[in-house]
Amino acid sequence: MVQENQEIDVRAWIIRILKNWYWFAISCIVFGSIGGYYYLTTTKKFHVDASIMLRGEEDNSSNLQLVTSIIGMDMGKNIDDEIALITSRDILIQIVKELDLHTEYRKLDGMKWTGQYPSRDLSVVYPPCFVDTTKKAVNIQLKVRKNDYVVKVKYGRWNRSRHVVKDLTKPFETCACPLSFEIHRPLEVEKGNKYRMLTLPLLSLVDYYKGQIEATPIKKGSNVISITTTTDMPSRARAFINKEIELYNLDAVMDKNLMATTTEKFIEERLRLIENELAAAEAEVELYKEKNGIVSLSEESELLIKESTEYRRRIAEIETQLNLVQFVSDFINDDTKHNSLMPSDLGISNESLVSLINQYNALLLSQIKVQRTATGDNPVINQLASQLELLRENLKVSIDNVRKSLIISKNDLNSRFTQAEAQRVDIPSQERQYREVYRNKQLKEELYLFLYKQREENALHMLMAVKPARIIAAPQMNPTPVEPNLKGIILMCLILGCGFPFGVIILYDMLNNRISGDTKELEKRLKVPMAGVLVNNHRGTHIAVREGENSVSAELFRTLRTNIQFLHPADTKCPILLVTSSINGEGKSYVATNLAISMALLGKKVALVGLDIRRPKLADYMNLSSQGCLTSYLSDTAYDLEDTIFPSSISNLDVIPAGIVPPNPSELLQSERLGTLFTALRQRYDYVVVDTAPIAMVSDTFLLNRIADMTVYVTRANYTTVDLLNLLNQTHLQQRLPKIVAVLNGVVAKKEYGY
């Protein structure tokens, strides 16, 4: 098996491409036409984008901790969660309904279907609730004619109907439902206009827009979100993004107001309770003064009281904290308020407890949001409920710890206060009792004023709720269309126009295992020398060489004759040339005949022997009889050599036809009479040309190895396969035939083959 040369002949490829330039030109024109049609029929798509910034801690004003706690703003926003909320299904459903995006309207403008939004020539009118309940898409095509309208309706995949309507405003039955149209611009709905209307199920439409709108942070860790989409209706995209931001802000403000309302309700309840307690404390002070006749304090008492003021103030603060902690404890232990938001900050000084309350409110608010759309058995709800219960238990433990800590501090201050008061041995017991009563009244008053202030601030923040999304860049359209890309289309058409014929050539070469007319390619594959190249005889006859003929075929046979004379052994007298091939149809008989004629025209005595005794054709080509020829001589000793030799119409050329087809060709070719025949021929002729059988089909030719001096192996362009060339190389390497030379037959005639 010969190893094929894998190197690429660049020059040969360039020549081949230049020879077939018109196919590349035609391919470029075809693909250019396809690209032009695509560009003219494709609606232009544009890029629309907007930028928003989520407000964080820096966006809040004074009293930051209280305000953000009351309105429920999470100071550490999770950007991914906010993006999920912006593109949530609930918001998209609201957008579709508010902007009336259930149906897409398009009008044929030249060769393009142009979208109409927000104004349109007409609208399709469906039955009530049909759009919200349909499970299949409704595709409507409308054509305006002179006196009527043609309406085609496709409902789902299989249901179709066609209607000719005189009046579009009157309902008519279709395969989907009764339909009618509302015409907004009658002057635009004229003869020849075509419209397309597509209505998708609500959930499918929401999924479509969810895939079209892309919300991403502009960089990692940034609070700025970029909202982008690519569409052929920029006005609809701008309206969609604006409404998306608006609904996101509205939803966030509603959540904040919900928490603020809960805080307001709690404060009102506590104010009413403290108001009653304060009134009772004031009445007790008044009663004590009346009972004990106390009008004013002495100067000495005033001085001693000032020494204890600091202790009283600190004890009052602790009492306030204990009351606030008790309020929160009552709230958390009240089973009826488990689904209510806790007041996030009422002035409790313990930061750990305040943090737990804020976490509890945030988790409860998340549960409320999920419950809006989820079912009762949703695992997310169960998980949130478990987390809330765990956080509630943590709150109880924390409240108990804070209370104990405050009691310890209070007891310590009371002890110090008692020591200070013990020094006031001269102050009447009535004075001390009065101070105790007054201190209780003062504690209630401070608590009342604190809650009243908190109520006013809460009301102010409810009124001034800040939208969480601040628009940095309003939705804008990039004037350069994204699709179709003219430069990209031109480049693609050029690539396909040049690549398609190139690919066809490569594919043809991969699938075609026949040799071409390129002698260089053939020489690379062969292990034997090339003796010549022959073109197709333009006359279409078997005889291509005649005396005085200067045709391309005749000249190439003369060249072949010269090369063979040069290649055969110089000391050989009357060389015997076997002309064979791999299979039928490669032109071995044609080559043998014309080679013999070419040698005879030199004045040499030439014998042309037909030894393809299985399919003899030589007698027919030379117009001779097939009776009493070579096979008869080999099989019957009664025949003489002279009985097998027939003179031809060409001087110096005798022909020995094969004769009739024998039943035992192999035995005849191995007979001694065949050797005797060729011995006699060597003595009588200068050249003996033998037309033999193809070696890939029968082994007859190999039996002639003993009598031949050279083998002319005929191959045919675009006919002989590479496998047959491998057979030729194997035959040469195994020396089964003498001195093989190759001839390439059937090459298309070119100018360089003759003048």
Side-chain angles (χ1 to χ4, degrees), residues 469-491:
R470 173 186 173 186
I471 298 178
I472 297 178
Q476 294 293 332
M477 178 194 73
N478 190 330
T480 303
V482 178
E483 296 179 11
N485 187 344
L486 182 59
K487 294 182 180 179
I489 292 174
I490 294 175
L491 179 61

PDB file of all heavy atoms in Angstrom, residues 469-491:
ATOM      1  N   ALA A 469     -35.529  52.895  44.754  1.00  0.00           N
ATOM      2  CA  ALA A 469     -34.805  52.902  43.477  1.00  0.00           C
ATOM      3  C   ALA A 469     -34.766  54.317  42.926  1.00  0.00           C
ATOM      4  O   ALA A 469     -35.812  54.909  42.642  1.00  0.00           O
ATOM      5  CB  ALA A 469     -35.465  51.958  42.477  1.00  0.00           C
ATOM      6  N   ARG A 470     -33.571  54.823  42.778  1.00  0.00           N
ATOM      7  CA  ARG A 470     -33.390  56.157  42.210  1.00  0.00           C
ATOM      8  C   ARG A 470     -32.925  56.012  40.764  1.00  0.00           C
ATOM      9  O   ARG A 470     -31.948  55.313  40.483  1.00  0.00           O
ATOM     10  CB  ARG A 470     -32.352  56.922  43.022  1.00  0.00           C
ATOM     11  CG  ARG A 470     -31.961  58.271  42.422  1.00  0.00           C
ATOM     12  CD  ARG A 470     -30.833  58.871  43.223  1.00  0.00           C
ATOM     13  NE  ARG A 470     -30.330  60.084  42.588  1.00  0.00           N
ATOM     14  CZ  ARG A 470     -29.264  60.751  43.002  1.00  0.00           C
ATOM     15  NH1 ARG A 470     -28.586  60.302  44.056  1.00  0.00           N
ATOM     16  NH2 ARG A 470     -28.864  61.837  42.382  1.00  0.00           N
ATOM     17  N   ILE A 471     -33.638  56.660  39.847  1.00  0.00           N
ATOM     18  CA  ILE A 471     -33.317  56.546  38.421  1.00  0.00           C
ATOM     19  C   ILE A 471     -32.095  57.408  38.116  1.00  0.00           C
ATOM     20  O   ILE A 471     -32.118  58.628  38.293  1.00  0.00           O
ATOM     21  CB  ILE A 471     -34.507  56.971  37.545  1.00  0.00           C
ATOM     22  CG1 ILE A 471     -35.711  56.055  37.804  1.00  0.00           C
ATOM     23  CG2 ILE A 471     -34.120  56.934  36.072  1.00  0.00           C
ATOM     24  CD1 ILE A 471     -36.946  56.432  37.014  1.00  0.00           C
ATOM     25  N   ILE A 472     -31.031  56.764  37.690  1.00  0.00           N
ATOM     26  CA  ILE A 472     -29.810  57.479  37.294  1.00  0.00           C
ATOM     27  C   ILE A 472     -29.878  57.855  35.820  1.00  0.00           C
ATOM     28  O   ILE A 472     -29.569  58.976  35.438  1.00  0.00           O
ATOM     29  CB  ILE A 472     -28.570  56.617  37.572  1.00  0.00           C
ATOM     30  CG1 ILE A 472     -28.450  56.343  39.070  1.00  0.00           C
ATOM     31  CG2 ILE A 472     -27.310  57.295  37.053  1.00  0.00           C
ATOM     32  CD1 ILE A 472     -27.286  55.460  39.423  1.00  0.00           C
ATOM     33  N   ALA A 473     -30.269  56.896  34.988  1.00  0.00           N
ATOM     34  CA  ALA A 473     -30.409  57.142  33.548  1.00  0.00           C
ATOM     35  C   ALA A 473     -31.748  56.572  33.105  1.00  0.00           C
ATOM     36  O   ALA A 473     -31.989  55.370  33.254  1.00  0.00           O
ATOM     37  CB  ALA A 473     -29.265  56.509  32.766  1.00  0.00           C
ATOM     38  N   ALA A 474     -32.618  57.436  32.589  1.00  0.00           N
ATOM     39  CA  ALA A 474     -33.923  56.987  32.103  1.00  0.00           C
ATOM     40  C   ALA A 474     -33.729  56.086  30.884  1.00  0.00           C
ATOM     41  O   ALA A 474     -32.695  56.145  30.209  1.00  0.00           O
ATOM     42  CB  ALA A 474     -34.784  58.188  31.744  1.00  0.00           C
ATOM     43  N   PRO A 475     -34.711  55.218  30.599  1.00  0.00           N
ATOM     44  CA  PRO A 475     -34.581  54.317  29.436  1.00  0.00           C
ATOM     45  C   PRO A 475     -34.338  55.094  28.145  1.00  0.00           C
ATOM     46  O   PRO A 475     -35.104  55.994  27.801  1.00  0.00           O
ATOM     47  CB  PRO A 475     -35.927  53.583  29.405  1.00  0.00           C
ATOM     48  CG  PRO A 475     -36.441  53.668  30.802  1.00  0.00           C
ATOM     49  CD  PRO A 475     -35.959  54.976  31.336  1.00  0.00           C
ATOM     50  N   GLN A 476     -33.248  54.762  27.465  1.00  0.00           N
ATOM     51  CA  GLN A 476     -32.885  55.408  26.216  1.00  0.00           C
ATOM     52  C   GLN A 476     -32.563  54.362  25.167  1.00  0.00           C
ATOM     53  O   GLN A 476     -32.080  53.279  25.477  1.00  0.00           O
ATOM     54  CB  GLN A 476     -31.672  56.329  26.411  1.00  0.00           C
ATOM     55  CG  GLN A 476     -31.932  57.532  27.307  1.00  0.00           C
ATOM     56  CD  GLN A 476     -32.903  58.525  26.704  1.00  0.00           C
ATOM     57  OE1 GLN A 476     -33.006  58.635  25.488  1.00  0.00           O
ATOM     58  NE2 GLN A 476     -33.615  59.253  27.568  1.00  0.00           N
ATOM     59  N   MET A 477     -32.822  54.709  23.902  1.00  0.00           N
ATOM     60  CA  MET A 477     -32.558  53.800  22.785  1.00  0.00           C
ATOM     61  C   MET A 477     -31.243  54.173  22.119  1.00  0.00           C
ATOM     62  O   MET A 477     -30.986  55.346  21.851  1.00  0.00           O
ATOM     63  CB  MET A 477     -33.697  53.875  21.768  1.00  0.00           C
ATOM     64  CG  MET A 477     -33.502  52.990  20.534  1.00  0.00           C
ATOM     65  SD  MET A 477     -34.637  53.394  19.193  1.00  0.00           S
ATOM     66  CE  MET A 477     -33.962  54.935  18.599  1.00  0.00           C
ATOM     67  N   ASN A 478     -30.423  53.165  21.880  1.00  0.00           N
ATOM     68  CA  ASN A 478     -29.207  53.376  21.096  1.00  0.00           C
ATOM     69  C   ASN A 478     -29.607  53.486  19.626  1.00  0.00           C
ATOM     70  O   ASN A 478     -30.220  52.574  19.076  1.00  0.00           O
ATOM     71  CB  ASN A 478     -28.249  52.202  21.291  1.00  0.00           C
ATOM     72  CG  ASN A 478     -26.879  52.466  20.691  1.00  0.00           C
ATOM     73  OD1 ASN A 478     -26.752  53.196  19.717  1.00  0.00           O
ATOM     74  ND2 ASN A 478     -25.850  51.880  21.274  1.00  0.00           N
ATOM     75  N   PRO A 479     -29.299  54.620  18.954  1.00  0.00           N
ATOM     76  CA  PRO A 479     -29.767  54.797  17.568  1.00  0.00           C
ATOM     77  C   PRO A 479     -29.177  53.811  16.574  1.00  0.00           C
ATOM     78  O   PRO A 479     -29.724  53.621  15.492  1.00  0.00           O
ATOM     79  CB  PRO A 479     -29.340  56.240  17.240  1.00  0.00           C
ATOM     80  CG  PRO A 479     -28.214  56.538  18.178  1.00  0.00           C
ATOM     81  CD  PRO A 479     -28.512  55.771  19.440  1.00  0.00           C
ATOM     82  N   THR A 480     -28.078  53.175  16.926  1.00  0.00           N
ATOM     83  CA  THR A 480     -27.479  52.186  16.023  1.00  0.00           C
ATOM     84  C   THR A 480     -28.176  50.844  16.204  1.00  0.00           C
ATOM     85  O   THR A 480     -28.189  50.305  17.300  1.00  0.00           O
ATOM     86  CB  THR A 480     -25.978  52.027  16.306  1.00  0.00           C
ATOM     87  OG1 THR A 480     -25.335  53.285  16.191  1.00  0.00           O
ATOM     88  CG2 THR A 480     -25.354  51.041  15.323  1.00  0.00           C
ATOM     89  N   PRO A 481     -28.792  50.295  15.148  1.00  0.00           N
ATOM     90  CA  PRO A 481     -29.520  49.025  15.305  1.00  0.00           C
ATOM     91  C   PRO A 481     -28.573  47.869  15.622  1.00  0.00           C
ATOM     92  O   PRO A 481     -27.455  47.800  15.113  1.00  0.00           O
ATOM     93  CB  PRO A 481     -30.198  48.833  13.941  1.00  0.00           C
ATOM     94  CG  PRO A 481     -29.401  49.647  12.985  1.00  0.00           C
ATOM     95  CD  PRO A 481     -28.862  50.806  13.769  1.00  0.00           C
ATOM     96  N   VAL A 482     -29.061  46.981  16.478  1.00  0.00           N
ATOM     97  CA  VAL A 482     -28.300  45.775  16.815  1.00  0.00           C
ATOM     98  C   VAL A 482     -28.473  44.723  15.728  1.00  0.00           C
ATOM     99  O   VAL A 482     -27.526  44.035  15.339  1.00  0.00           O
ATOM    100  CB  VAL A 482     -28.755  45.240  18.184  1.00  0.00           C
ATOM    101  CG1 VAL A 482     -28.010  43.959  18.536  1.00  0.00           C
ATOM    102  CG2 VAL A 482     -28.554  46.293  19.262  1.00  0.00           C
ATOM    103  N   GLU A 483     -29.694  44.589  15.255  1.00  0.00           N
ATOM    104  CA  GLU A 483     -30.014  43.644  14.183  1.00  0.00           C
ATOM    105  C   GLU A 483     -30.911  44.370  13.179  1.00  0.00           C
ATOM    106  O   GLU A 483     -31.766  45.179  13.566  1.00  0.00           O
ATOM    107  CB  GLU A 483     -30.749  42.421  14.738  1.00  0.00           C
ATOM    108  CG  GLU A 483     -29.945  41.575  15.696  1.00  0.00           C
ATOM    109  CD  GLU A 483     -30.760  40.412  16.213  1.00  0.00           C
ATOM    110  OE1 GLU A 483     -31.855  40.158  15.667  1.00  0.00           O
ATOM    111  OE2 GLU A 483     -30.325  39.767  17.169  1.00  0.00           O
ATOM    112  N   PRO A 484     -30.752  44.080  11.879  1.00  0.00           N
ATOM    113  CA  PRO A 484     -29.677  43.267  11.287  1.00  0.00           C
ATOM    114  C   PRO A 484     -28.383  44.070  11.155  1.00  0.00           C
ATOM    115  O   PRO A 484     -28.423  45.281  10.910  1.00  0.00           O
ATOM    116  CB  PRO A 484     -30.243  42.904   9.916  1.00  0.00           C
ATOM    117  CG  PRO A 484     -31.146  44.058   9.581  1.00  0.00           C
ATOM    118  CD  PRO A 484     -31.727  44.539  10.880  1.00  0.00           C
ATOM    119  N   ASN A 485     -27.275  43.403  11.344  1.00  0.00           N
ATOM    120  CA  ASN A 485     -25.953  44.025  11.263  1.00  0.00           C
ATOM    121  C   ASN A 485     -25.487  43.971   9.805  1.00  0.00           C
ATOM    122  O   ASN A 485     -25.123  42.913   9.291  1.00  0.00           O
ATOM    123  CB  ASN A 485     -24.981  43.280  12.174  1.00  0.00           C
ATOM    124  CG  ASN A 485     -23.627  43.978  12.256  1.00  0.00           C
ATOM    125  OD1 ASN A 485     -23.311  44.834  11.440  1.00  0.00           O
ATOM    126  ND2 ASN A 485     -22.848  43.607  13.245  1.00  0.00           N
ATOM    127  N   LEU A 486     -25.528  45.132   9.129  1.00  0.00           N
ATOM    128  CA  LEU A 486     -25.207  45.167   7.704  1.00  0.00           C
ATOM    129  C   LEU A 486     -23.788  44.687   7.434  1.00  0.00           C
ATOM    130  O   LEU A 486     -23.550  43.877   6.523  1.00  0.00           O
ATOM    131  CB  LEU A 486     -25.408  46.585   7.162  1.00  0.00           C
ATOM    132  CG  LEU A 486     -25.140  46.765   5.657  1.00  0.00           C
ATOM    133  CD1 LEU A 486     -26.041  45.860   4.846  1.00  0.00           C
ATOM    134  CD2 LEU A 486     -25.342  48.226   5.249  1.00  0.00           C
ATOM    135  N   LYS A 487     -22.826  45.175   8.222  1.00  0.00           N
ATOM    136  CA  LYS A 487     -21.442  44.742   8.017  1.00  0.00           C
ATOM    137  C   LYS A 487     -21.295  43.248   8.260  1.00  0.00           C
ATOM    138  O   LYS A 487     -20.595  42.547   7.522  1.00  0.00           O
ATOM    139  CB  LYS A 487     -20.514  45.526   8.940  1.00  0.00           C
ATOM    140  CG  LYS A 487     -20.431  47.011   8.618  1.00  0.00           C
ATOM    141  CD  LYS A 487     -19.457  47.719   9.553  1.00  0.00           C
ATOM    142  CE  LYS A 487     -19.358  49.213   9.230  1.00  0.00           C
ATOM    143  NZ  LYS A 487     -18.439  49.915  10.152  1.00  0.00           N
ATOM    144  N   GLY A 488     -21.958  42.767   9.313  1.00  0.00           N
ATOM    145  CA  GLY A 488     -21.887  41.334   9.600  1.00  0.00           C
ATOM    146  C   GLY A 488     -22.517  40.503   8.500  1.00  0.00           C
ATOM    147  O   GLY A 488     -22.012  39.427   8.138  1.00  0.00           O
ATOM    148  N   ILE A 489     -23.642  41.000   7.934  1.00  0.00           N
ATOM    149  CA  ILE A 489     -24.310  40.267   6.850  1.00  0.00           C
ATOM    150  C   ILE A 489     -23.418  40.226   5.618  1.00  0.00           C
ATOM    151  O   ILE A 489     -23.277  39.180   4.962  1.00  0.00           O
ATOM    152  CB  ILE A 489     -25.670  40.916   6.538  1.00  0.00           C
ATOM    153  CG1 ILE A 489     -26.637  40.723   7.711  1.00  0.00           C
ATOM    154  CG2 ILE A 489     -26.265  40.328   5.265  1.00  0.00           C
ATOM    155  CD1 ILE A 489     -27.943  41.447   7.543  1.00  0.00           C
ATOM    156  N   ILE A 490     -22.811  41.377   5.283  1.00  0.00           N
ATOM    157  CA  ILE A 490     -21.925  41.410   4.109  1.00  0.00           C
ATOM    158  C   ILE A 490     -20.744  40.459   4.311  1.00  0.00           C
ATOM    159  O   ILE A 490     -20.383  39.687   3.407  1.00  0.00           O
ATOM    160  CB  ILE A 490     -21.434  42.850   3.868  1.00  0.00           C
ATOM    161  CG1 ILE A 490     -22.610  43.748   3.466  1.00  0.00           C
ATOM    162  CG2 ILE A 490     -20.352  42.871   2.795  1.00  0.00           C
ATOM    163  CD1 ILE A 490     -22.246  45.208   3.327  1.00  0.00           C
ATOM    164  N   LEU A 491     -20.155  40.515   5.511  1.00  0.00           N
ATOM    165  CA  LEU A 491     -19.023  39.629   5.792  1.00  0.00           C
ATOM    166  C   LEU A 491     -19.439  38.167   5.728  1.00  0.00           C
ATOM    167  O   LEU A 491     -18.738  37.325   5.142  1.00  0.00           O
ATOM    168  CB  LEU A 491     -18.442  39.958   7.167  1.00  0.00           C
ATOM    169  CG  LEU A 491     -17.249  39.098   7.623  1.00  0.00           C
ATOM    170  CD1 LEU A 491     -16.085  39.261   6.664  1.00  0.00           C
ATOM    171  CD2 LEU A 491     -16.833  39.469   9.035  1.00  0.00           C
TER     172      LEU A 491
END
